[in-house]
Amino acid sequence: MSYIPLSRADLASATAVVVDADYTTSGTSILKCIADAVVVLNFTPKDRETVLVHLSTSNTIQIVGDIHIYNAAYYNIAEYNIAEYGGTTLTLNTKDTTVHLMYVREFGEWLAI
């Protein structure tokens, strides 16, 4: 059996974090948000870096980064804002909501898939 290296999108190697205050990602992560917070996506992500954000309460989570929505269902569960200078924010406040984000270097943006 040959060894296949894990990709940055492989959640088996992800860092799991309970988020109860503002947080900045620094690699593939699984975040369980339990309080109001701002989640800033890694400013220097690697290709295919993945972040799962789960809001387990009815608090408000703002996800900040260069985000483009590819999953139309997110428009029903999140508020999507584009700032004056091009930055984007996804705001969640519905209990038991999960957003899957992956950075694609070729596109130069985080994809909400």
Side-chain angles (χ1 to χ4, degrees), residues 2 9 16 26 42 50 66 96:
S2 64
S26 61
N42 189 350
T50 301
D66 188 8
D96 294 324

Side-chain angles (χ1 to χ4, degrees), residues 40-58:
V40 178
L41 298 173
N42 189 350
F43 290 114
T44 56
K46 293 180 172 66
D47 192 38
R48 307 296 194 268
E49 190 168 306
T50 301
V51 175
L52 290 179
V53 179
H54 176 73
L55 178 58
S56 61
T57 64
S58 294

